[in-house]
């Protein structure tokens, strides 16, 4: 009933914001879960380059373009909405902290180097995702394999 929706979300705009934030947060957490699952499969340090290649493909995949563009839309919608901006910032920070937890987990396993600070590394990885988003937004036709190769080299520079 509309009254119960307004009770939780205030108005139609609040409901839309909540749905957008759910998609925004879920897309980050899904990617973090994919990275964690890929690293969980690693049994030895020698396997890390193959997993990095796999993660690079996930990040670059054209099938994720819609999610990346939705993130851009949500970020753009915060321009004149301070409460939404705070919510997006908090969700982004939580996603970066979640990825840092994934990195630290695999450092403890000896799969990723211990000298890397997980939080700045997670933030840097997120910036690579935004790089792909920018390419999507401007319609720059960078094939998945080209972006994946560049991303892989950047990950290897950090983690190998």
């Amino acid at each position: 009933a509309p009254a119960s929706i307004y009770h939780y979300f205030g108005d139609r705009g609040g409901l839309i914001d909540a749905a957008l934030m759910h998609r925004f947060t879920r897309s980050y957490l899904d990617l973090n879960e994919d990275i964690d699952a890929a690293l969980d499969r690693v049994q030895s340090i020698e396997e890390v380059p193959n997993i990095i290649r796999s993660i690079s493909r996930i990040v670059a995949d054209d099938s994720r373009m819609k999610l990346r563009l939705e993130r851009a839309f949500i970020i753009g919608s915060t321009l004149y909405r301070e409460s939404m901006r705070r919510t997006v910032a908090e969700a982004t920070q939580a996603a970066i902290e979640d990825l840092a937890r994934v990195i630290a987990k695999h450092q403890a396993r000896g799969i990723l180097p211990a000298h890397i600070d997980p939080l700045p590394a997670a933030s840097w990885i997120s910036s690579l995702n935004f790089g792909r988003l920018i390419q999507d937004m401007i319609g720059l036709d960078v094939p998945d394999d080209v972006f994946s190769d560049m991303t892989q080299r950047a990950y290897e520079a950090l983690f190998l």
Side-chain angles (χ1 to χ4, degrees), residues 1-12 15:
S4 64
I5 290 172
Y6 293 146
H7 171 74
Y8 289 104
F9 303 107
D11 59 16
R12 181 177 176 270
L15 175 63

Side-chain angles (χ1 to χ4, degrees), residues 144-158:
D144 285 1
D145 60 332
V146 172
F147 188 84
S148 178
D149 288 345
M150 289 186 297
T151 304
Q152 178 181 342
R153 281 187 247 128
Y155 286 159
E156 286 173 349
L158 180 64

Side-chain angles (χ1 to χ4, degrees), residues 96-97 99-105 107 112-125 158-159:
I96 289 171
E97 289 170 356
L99 183 55
R101 179 197 55 76
V102 169
I103 292 167
K105 169 186 165 184
Q107 285 175 318
L112 297 177
H115 70 278
I116 302 296
D117 187 333
L119 193 57
S123 178
W124 178 79
I125 289 169
L158 180 64
F159 290 116

Side-chain angles (χ1 to χ4, degrees), residues 13 17 32 40 44 48 54 61 75 93 101 104 119 126 131 139 144 153:
D17 288 353
N32 290 353
D40 277 341
S44 71
V48 172
S54 157
D61 195 336
I75 291 168
Q93 182 175 349
R101 179 197 55 76
L119 193 57
S126 294
D144 285 1
R153 281 187 247 128

Side-chain angles (χ1 to χ4, degrees), residues 43-108:
Q43 299 300 312
S44 71
I45 197 81
E46 292 78 24
E47 296 174 38
V48 172
N50 289 334
I51 293 302
I52 287 176
R53 187 173 305 111
S54 157
I55 291 168
S56 299
R57 287 186 189 127
I58 292 168
V59 169
D61 195 336
D62 264 347
S63 69
R64 297 180 53 81
M65 182 190 298
K66 183 178 178 204
L67 285 173
R68 291 189 295 265
L69 291 174
E70 284 177 358
R71 275 192 226 139
F73 171 78
I74 292 166
I75 291 168
S77 73
T78 70
L79 186 59
Y80 300 107
R81 298 163 64 197
E82 181 61 34
S83 65
M84 183 78 157
R85 185 178 14 247
R86 281 191 310 274
T87 304
V88 168
E90 290 166 4
T92 302
Q93 182 175 349
I96 289 171
E97 289 170 356
D98 181 61
L99 183 55
R101 179 197 55 76
V102 169
I103 292 167
K105 169 186 165 184
H106 296 288
Q107 285 175 318

